[in-house]
Amino acid sequence: MSIKASTREEAFRFLDRKKVLKENREYSERAGYPTYFPYGDSSIDYRVTDLGCRIEVVRDGEAQNIWILDEEPKSVTMTIGLIETKKVLSSITINEVKELTYENVVGFVYEALDDGKPGIIYHIKDGTTVSFHVNEIAYTLMK
């Protein structure tokens, strides 16, 4: 399910009807994005993160996004170095890095993939995503 809002303010009005969400500055500095908790208390299992083109809401470990429609997401080109294991002899394998480039990337998140293992999901401007397990990624470059 995809939730959309016309503006960031509209999304926050919907999320914070009782006006209890407060930014936790220490958490925000570590995350790199403004992050809000009820009363600013990060021990409460409810977090709202302003990621620019979307608002991420995490409650009871479940994440949901509210996409902001009126703001054009800033997009970048990302080059992802994927580790490939190749067998060169029956008892010898080597790791090589293969580069994949994606245009119009508007963001990425670190979370468990469908198989439960940690991964990174890259969000593309057209609404599609691409994901990789973290142990497959050698590096990520942004341009």
Side-chain angles (χ1 to χ4, degrees), residues 19-32:
K19 308 238 185 266
V20 298
L21 288 177
K22 306 288 182 222
E23 183 177 5
N24 182 305
R25 296 226 184 256
E26 181 181 322
Y27 194 98
S28 295
E29 286 177 19
R30 281 194 319 253

Side-chain angles (χ1 to χ4, degrees), residues 124-143:
I124 313 298
K125 191 173 185 177
D126 65 4
T128 60
T129 60
V130 62
S131 60
F132 302 99
H133 289 100
V134 293
N135 62 343
E136 297 174 335
I137 299 173
Y139 56 85
T140 300
L141 303 172
M142 291 187 284
K143 296 179 190 174

